[in-house]
């Protein structure tokens, strides 16, 4: 692309730490028995108990997805004789109310043969934080271009090209701590520390500037 006058090329960057908007965790119900039908029955009962708890959580749970169902035989090393059957089903839960998150996870973990893993903190895909970071990166690019131009006794006159050059955002994980119940023997409490999410944006920009003063 032909341009009139000198050109300055800069990189604009923005870095933000913002509170998470979503928390995800996984709930896995398991069963094991020598009889296959008994394994499947127990697995179905335990998965149903998980569903009942999630149904009773109200608006705390924004979304839940069952995505991993496994049933496998356990055989002897010396052959194919089945000695037991193992079953598991995993549900991924998305929560927006962090004040109730710890209590919900503990209630689920208190169920028979249920494992809870997580949480993983995230931003919504359409979070305003991404837009704000991109705007800040453009502002940083323009500021740098003006500083270079001023150092040459010139000024920025026009934008030639603007391209996104931002890195991918990385999800952050949780720090979780168990605390015993009060003196009255109450239920245990789970204290969670939501970790800030890193949002980064970067752009490459080219500007024309007025004739520099090089004297």
């Amino acid at each position: 692309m032909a341009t009139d006058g000198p050109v300055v090329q800069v990189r604009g960057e923005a870095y933000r730490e913002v509170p998470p908007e979503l928390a995800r965790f996984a709930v896995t119900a398991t069963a094991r028995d020598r009889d296959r039908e008994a394994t499947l029955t127990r697995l179905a009962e335990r998965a149903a108990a998980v569903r009942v708890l999630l149904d009773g959580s109200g608006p705390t749970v924004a979304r839940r997805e069952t995505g991993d169902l496994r049933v496998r035989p356990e055989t002897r090393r010396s052959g194919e004789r089945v000695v037991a059957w193992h079953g598991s089903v995993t549900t991924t839960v998305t929560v927006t109310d962090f004040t109730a998150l710890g209590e919900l996870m503990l209630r689920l973990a208190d169920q028979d043969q249920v494992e809870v893993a997580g949480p993983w903190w995230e931003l919504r895909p359409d979070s305003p934080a991404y837009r704000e970071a991109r705007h800040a990166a453009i502002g940083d690019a323009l500021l740098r271009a003006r500083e270079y131009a001023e150092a040459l006794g010139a000024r920025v006159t026009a934008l030639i090209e603007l391209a996104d050059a931002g890195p991918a955002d990385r999800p952050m994980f949780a720090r979780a701590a168990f605390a015993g119940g009060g003196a009255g023997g109450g239920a245990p409490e789970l204290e969670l520390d939501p970790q800030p999410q890193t949002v980064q944006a970067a752009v490459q920009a080219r500007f024309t500037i007025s004739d520099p003063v090089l004297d």
Side-chain angles (χ1 to χ4, degrees):
M1 177 180 178
T3 60
D4 295 327
V7 174
V8 61
Q9 179 171 319
V10 295
R11 176 182 173 91
E13 298 177 324
Y15 174 93
R16 298 286 188 274
E17 284 191 349
V18 298
E21 298 168 343
L22 302 174
R24 301 185 193 275
F25 65 90
V27 187
T28 303
T30 62
R32 179 183 182 278
D33 196 276
R34 293 183 178 180
D35 181 72
R36 180 173 58 183
E37 293 301 322
T39 299
L40 295 176
T41 298
R42 291 180 183 177
L43 182 62
E45 291 173 350
R46 290 164 184 167
V50 168
R51 293 184 64 86
V52 169
L53 276 177
L54 293 176
D55 287 341
S57 63
T60 298
V61 174
R63 184 175 181 177
R64 66 188 190 197
E65 302 164 287
T66 302
D68 192 5
L69 171 63
R70 299 184 181 184
V71 179
R72 65 176 181 84
E74 176 185 339
T75 59
R76 293 187 180 276
R77 294 182 180 179
S78 58
E80 296 184 351
R81 180 184 175 186
V82 176
V83 296
W85 289 88
H86 295 260
S88 66
V89 59
T90 299
T91 300
T92 301
V93 182
T94 302
V95 172
T96 55
D97 182 3
F98 300 161
T99 60
L101 176 60
E103 178 186 357
L104 177 60
M105 292 179 69
L106 281 183
R107 289 176 63 195
L108 290 164
D110 193 45
Q111 300 298 300
D112 186 31
Q113 297 298 312
V114 170
E115 176 185 351
V116 178
W120 300 277
W121 308 99
E122 301 176 12
L123 293 175
R124 298 179 185 275
D126 59 349
S127 173
Y130 298 118
R131 180 174 180 269
E132 293 169 4
R134 290 190 293 267
H135 282 201
I138 294 172
D140 183 56
L142 182 56
L143 176 61
R144 294 189 188 195
R146 285 172 173 165
E147 289 175 347
Y148 284 126
E150 289 172 4
L152 295 169
R155 59 184 176 82
V156 173
T157 57
L159 172 67
I160 302 172
E161 182 181 9
L162 179 68
D164 183 85
D169 301 300
R170 295 176 295 178
M172 303 294 287
F173 297 93
R175 296 192 304 272
F178 284 93
E189 296 180 358
L190 178 62
E191 182 180 351
L192 297 174
D193 300 322
Q195 287 192 350
Q197 300 298 287
T198 299
V199 180
Q200 301 178 63
V203 296
Q204 295 283 355
R206 297 173 65 216
F207 298 90
T208 57
I209 61 174
S210 59
D211 291 336
V213 178
L214 302 178
D215 295 338

